[in-house]
Amino acid sequence: MVPPMAGKFLIVTLFGAVWLQQFYRANRLAGNVPYHVAAYQRDKRKARFYYQSMWLSIGVVLVSFLALEALGGAIFDSSRQREWVLSVLRGLGLWGLMIIAMVWSQVGIRASQPNSDGQSLLPFAENRNDKQNK
């Protein structure tokens, strides 16, 4: 017999693997164009992928939480069936929250880099050296 908690792990693992595969697909460089064009296209794909991932994840989390709330008082044929259904719904919510955390961590890493907006001035070399010497 497989415990109901396995449903949660199965959902997180399966959906996580699909998300990672799509992430690597969005992160690839096209080989038949110059590097600067391929990098620009890749960055556009990644931005669109992150945007769509965020909204998909927010929707999955919302539906998961609403379904958990709705099914909280529902009567099932057996307690095992109830635990499996609730475990799968919890797994969907957990997957959505994990994707949100991963995307926001990538956005935070990018935003913390110098000149991340493309308009900020970078410090002069002598200013960088002064800070390193102190």
Side-chain angles (χ1 to χ4, degrees), residues 59-102:
V60 167
V61 169
L62 179 65
V63 168
S64 171
F65 287 162
L66 290 175
L68 283 169
E69 183 74 25
L71 294 175
I75 299 171
F76 288 87
D77 292 338
S78 68
S79 63
R80 187 152 186 82
Q81 181 186 26
R82 175 186 175 85
E83 288 303 314
W84 264 98
V85 169
L86 295 180
S87 179
V88 167
L89 288 172
R90 287 183 194 114
L92 285 171
L94 182 62
W95 174 80
L97 290 174
M98 287 172 46
I99 297 301
I100 290 168
M102 285 190 285

Side-chain angles (χ1 to χ4, degrees), residues 108-123 128:
I109 288 169
R110 176 67 177 116
S112 67
Q113 294 175 348
N115 196 26
S116 63
D117 60 356
Q119 299 172 358
S120 302
L121 296 175
L122 293 174
R128 285 192 300 246

